[in-house]
Amino acid sequence: MENIHALKKNAATPLFNRDQITTSIAHIGVSNFHRSHQANFMHDLIEKHHEFNYGICGIDLLDSDRKTYNVLKDQDGLYTLITKDAAGVHKPKIIGSIVEYFFGPENPMAVIERLATPDIKIISLTIAEDGYHLNEITGEFNLQHPAVAQDIVYPFNPKTVFGYLTHAFKLRKLRGLSGCTILSCDNIKNNGDTIKESFFNYVNKHEPDLLPWLESHTTFPNTMVDKITPVTQHKDIDFLKQNFYIEDQWPVVCESFSEWVIEDNFYEERPNWEQVGVQFVKNIAPYQNMKLQLLNAGHSILGILGKLHGYKTVQEVANDSDFMLFLENFMDNEVAPTLIEAKKISINEYKTTLISRFKNPNINDSLSRICSESSAKIPIFILSTLNSQLQQENKQINHIAFIIAAWCKYNDGIDDQGNPYNIEDSISNTLIRMATRSHQNPIKFLEIESVFKNLASNVFFTEKYSNYLNYLRTHTAKESIINFNANLI
């Protein structure tokens, strides 16, 4: 196993010969989440059901990914996944499903050629919201994005994932080869539809003659992915070394819960992932909406409120009964009524499981990570519930109005203990400027069109929001939550 040495029996190592694995999945964006989720599912399928035809070829395309690439190349694609449950049990397992690795900035043509080979049946991705190059206001593919424009000037040194895919599929077409499935695993609503629309818009601009071939030779299933995967810390590296004699430069930490739901819409063959717990469905919407509007919204709410109070991790704020009462009432009164496609029993079960996951004392997921890029998260996770509620006759929006007011105060950049923190967001300058202006006029924050669109003109919402923001400006987050829960504000 080259540079990973597992010397104790209770550190699980691959029970299969990696030399027997052939590669048919190319995964772009070898993030911590990919390594805790999709690569782990594939490892289990190989190990338990001997599906040796679906090894993963990892591909990173950003200069910022160089560290990940260097570490995994040094370790022959091997790494340790540390599963931490609420009882304090830490289970390390060395994952062996990534058997190839390419780095785009180092050799873009090698990446394109690998994607173009016929043995690649699935191209999966975790490239985060930024990788889709969507317009902040319209949500549509941004043809004016600098990276997209640069691909026109330097077509064989692409800066976008779409540039790589375009060249790869162009080669497949020219060589008379088959197409394949593009499988987004990003935390984006309708992620398959989104990447298809972005990709086809890109191709229409750069290689319009390729579009008819793509339309008949590719599919884009929507997916829902769920597994809390915090940032790896040095203590995790030290833990492996001291307790299991495992020397791993970049292990991955995760919770024990894991879920993956996929629309069964593959171009050709696919792994039998259902054998290791993956669900294949015709309609992803009920699963997707429940996850985005409960788990992801819950994370954002705990992140914003906890950060204002001065907490550092999710489990700290989740174990504060005042904050959790707010979150549970938000889920019950404002989210659940909008999830009309999900069964009530499923919602209740998911919510109960979710609360215990948030309280897991061993994950130590930082609130800074949760709050980062909130401008991209809140419209999807929270404002989608607001939009549904505003269409109802009996509109329940108090919790949402409160949390948007709290987010405005959050962008002041100082907690209730007087400690400053950074606003980590692609539009941080705008957020900070408009939060500052909201001291004189609360509505100013809602005028960030890329986040709120025309919400500032909705009097029903703005009256509640303004009342909560004025209260939050003169009280701590803790005091505000207690009084909110007691219906005193």
Side-chain angles (χ1 to χ4, degrees), residues 81-93 227-228 230-237 239-240 244 251-257 356-357 359-365:
L81 182 63
I82 310 170
T83 302
K84 299 183 179 181
D85 65 22
V89 178
H90 296 182
K91 299 178 181 178
K93 177 173 72 172
K227 191 176 190 72
I228 296 174
V231 174
T232 303
Q233 300 179 12
H234 283 293
K235 66 180 182 180
D236 300 313
I237 298 173
F239 165 78
L240 288 176
F244 296 93
V252 179
V253 173
C254 67
E255 62 172 341
S256 55
F257 181 92
S356 66
R357 293 167 65 193
K359 291 182 177 181
N360 186 335
N362 300 300
I363 293 299
N364 291 314
D365 205 356

Side-chain angles (χ1 to χ4, degrees), residues 207-249:
E207 293 283 348
D209 292 343
L210 183 60
L211 264 180
W213 187 90
L214 285 174
E215 288 171 347
S216 60
H217 288 78
T218 55
T219 60
F220 299 80
N222 289 302
T223 70
M224 187 279 278
V225 293
D226 190 357
K227 191 176 190 72
I228 296 174
T229 307
V231 174
T232 303
Q233 300 179 12
H234 283 293
K235 66 180 182 180
D236 300 313
I237 298 173
D238 294 338
F239 165 78
L240 288 176
K241 188 179 296 185
Q242 294 169 9
N243 293 280
F244 296 93
Y245 300 103
I246 297 176
E247 297 181 7
D248 189 339
Q249 300 173 65

Side-chain angles (χ1 to χ4, degrees), residues 344-356:
K344 185 175 182 179
I345 188 170
S346 299
I347 296 173
N348 290 337
E349 182 180 349
Y350 187 79
K351 188 191 74 172
T352 300
T353 302
L354 187 56
I355 291 169
S356 66

Side-chain angles (χ1 to χ4, degrees), residues 108-224:
M109 289 308 300
V111 172
I112 290 167
E113 281 288 349
R114 190 67 186 97
L115 292 172
T117 53
D119 55 320
I120 297 297
K121 309 296 184 184
I122 298 170
I123 299 175
S124 55
L125 311 95
T126 45
I127 56 175
E129 292 91 341
D130 289 350
Y132 291 77
H133 303 306
L134 304 177
N135 183 286
E136 291 180 349
I137 297 174
T138 66
E140 297 176 352
F141 182 66
N142 184 8
L143 287 167
Q144 310 306 316
H145 192 282
V148 176
Q150 191 168 345
D151 280 4
I152 297 176
V153 181
Y154 303 103
F156 295 104
N157 186 20
K159 297 301 180 183
T160 71
V161 66
F162 306 112
Y164 283 92
L165 292 176
T166 298
H167 286 299
F169 283 118
K170 187 177 179 181
L171 289 177
R172 285 184 180 235
K173 178 188 175 186
L174 290 172
R175 295 168 180 172
L177 303 176
S178 65
C180 69
T181 301
I182 309 296
L183 188 68
S184 171
C185 299
D186 280 305
N187 198 30
I188 295 175
K189 192 169 185 177
N190 301 321
N191 50 18
D193 297 335
T194 299
I195 195 165
K196 178 180 179 179
E197 182 177 356
S198 294
F199 182 34
F200 281 18
N201 273 299
Y202 179 98
V203 172
N204 190 49
K205 175 75 172 180
H206 290 259
E207 293 283 348
D209 292 343
L210 183 60
L211 264 180
W213 187 90
L214 285 174
E215 288 171 347
S216 60
H217 288 78
T218 55
T219 60
F220 299 80
N222 289 302
T223 70
M224 187 279 278

Side-chain angles (χ1 to χ4, degrees), residues 249-266:
Q249 300 173 65
W250 200 333
V252 179
V253 173
C254 67
E255 62 172 341
S256 55
F257 181 92
S258 191
E259 190 172 18
W260 194 5
V261 185
I262 308 174
E263 286 181 345
D264 202 353
N265 178 29
F266 285 72

